[in-house]
Amino acid sequence: MLVLSNIEVMYSNVLLILKGVSLEVKEGQVVILLGANGAGKTTTLKAVSGLLYTEAGEVTDGHITFEGTSIKGMKPHKIVDMGIVQVQEGRRIFEHFSVEEELKVGGYVAGLSGGGLHREMDLIYNYFPPLSHLRKKTCGWLSGGEQQMLVIGRALITRPKLILLDEPSLGLSPLLVEDIFSIIQRINRDQGTSFLIVEQNAMLSLSIGDYGYVMENGRIVMDGKAADLKDNEDIKEFYLGLSEVGQRKSYREIKHYKRRKRWLG
């Protein structure tokens, strides 16, 4: 469905951020992209969605195809029309809009109106029941969890084939994070929507994913089935600070582990 082949990304023709990244998302899959801050995960999503141009970024090498069509360098609105939508990190919303107005923005992007728009909005409220009780509430007054539900709902109402989801757990309580990932899993199952998810919560995200990739310094350094990555001792040690006997390591030991880059061997 989505294929990135050896892409390189530069900012301002100076900074090389991605260095030969290759990954793919098959139809109906949930793919997880892991990595430390600054690894290049968000840049990867923006390379797909076309949003690099807003930051003077450019895909300078390699290929990006979606359903067999090249989308490298394509304008973001054209990419949305093809069925790809990105939910950016930080829950970007129109703070002065009501919840209902915010969802209508996504509906208008999809060309919905009248009964069709209302049916899709009811579907969103079905997936996110708290939003149904907040229809008239101003978005800027919502909690972090409610805003995260809203931006995912706004993306879903465009009827996408693929959602690029950047750090959905950021700033949320563990209970809310579990709820969000459960809903993502349900949307994937019910609608067949594919997801490429950038996430720091490795264990929870891999538990709902089909396949995963690990990035470091602009490169893919490990990939495999999500279940296999979840059980991988290197992944556990790096993300959870746990050794094979289940003892938590100190921050200094984690940093030392990171420097060793055992998975590169």
Side-chain angles (χ1 to χ4, degrees):
M1 188 179 198
L2 175 72
V3 179
L4 279 64
S5 301
N6 296 310
I7 69 165
E8 292 185 353
V9 169
M10 294 190 73
Y11 284 104
S12 301
N13 294 315
V14 175
L15 297 174
L16 180 62
I17 304 300
L18 299 187
K19 309 160 187 175
V21 170
S22 296
L23 61 80
E24 65 178 51
V25 180
K26 295 180 181 178
E27 187 173 354
Q29 271 192 328
V30 175
V31 174
I32 310 300
L33 184 57
L34 304 172
N37 289 334
K41 308 183 300 299
T42 295
T43 296
T44 301
L45 296 190
K46 289 183 177 181
V48 176
S49 65
L51 292 178
L52 280 177
Y53 87 97
T54 65
E55 301 171 347
E58 182 183 4
V59 180
T60 54
D61 200 5
H63 303 281
I64 304 175
T65 59
F66 182 67
E67 296 185 325
T69 299
S70 175
I71 59 173
K72 175 182 172 183
M74 190 178 288
K75 295 297 184 183
H77 68 281
K78 294 291 185 182
I79 292 173
V80 171
D81 289 343
M82 293 183 69
I84 301 175
V85 62
Q86 180 173 349
V87 178
Q88 296 192 69
E89 177 185 349
R91 301 183 282 276
R92 312 287 180 87
I93 57 172
F94 298 102
E95 294 188 356
H96 59 289
F97 280 14
S98 69
V99 167
E100 191 170 88
E101 289 169 337
E102 190 85 22
L103 290 176
K104 285 181 178 179
V105 171
Y108 294 148
V109 169
L112 298 174
S113 61
L117 176 60
H118 287 295
R119 281 192 296 272
E120 292 298 321
M121 291 179 69
D122 286 342
L123 179 65
I124 302 306
Y125 293 140
N126 179 53
Y127 281 120
F128 303 102
L131 296 182
S132 66
H133 306 294
L134 300 168
R135 299 179 188 219
K136 303 302 181 182
K137 188 167 184 178
T138 302
C139 295
W141 292 101
L142 301 181
S143 69
E146 291 163 350
Q147 288 182 356
Q148 188 64 65
M149 293 178 187
L150 180 59
V151 293
I152 295 175
R154 186 183 62 192
L156 187 62
I157 206 171
T158 67
R159 300 173 172 176
K161 300 174 183 177
L162 171 64
I163 295 179
L164 311 175
L165 195 51
D166 197 353
E167 299 282 8
S169 72
L170 187 66
L172 303 184
S173 70
L175 187 59
L176 273 174
V177 171
E178 289 186 9
D179 287 344
I180 292 292
F181 276 95
S182 177
I183 293 167
I184 291 169
Q185 200 170 24
R186 184 181 164 201
I187 292 169
N188 171 254
R189 182 181 64 246
D190 294 351
Q191 306 295 325
T193 307
S194 301
F195 285 85
L196 176 57
I197 303 175
V198 162
E199 183 52 62
Q200 292 283 348
N201 191 325
M203 296 301 109
L204 182 56
S205 59
L206 289 172
S207 70
I208 72 160
D210 299 297
Y211 204 85
Y213 295 86
V214 180
M215 290 194 77
E216 187 173 286
N217 296 325
R219 302 179 188 276
I220 300 294
V221 295
M222 180 185 287
D223 68 281
K225 293 181 179 179
D228 294 338
L229 290 180
K230 187 178 179 184
D231 292 333
N232 184 284
E233 291 299 327
D234 289 343
I235 296 291
K236 290 180 181 178
E237 191 173 356
F238 182 75
Y239 282 96
L240 300 181
L242 296 176
S243 68
E244 293 180 359
V245 294
Q247 295 177 331
R248 183 164 295 278
K249 291 182 171 289
S250 68
Y251 179 67
R252 178 174 296 185
E253 288 173 318
I254 294 171
K255 287 179 69 177
H256 175 67
Y257 166 76
K258 184 178 178 183
R259 286 196 299 270
R260 284 192 285 124
K261 294 182 176 63
R262 192 164 69 201
W263 54 37
L264 287 176

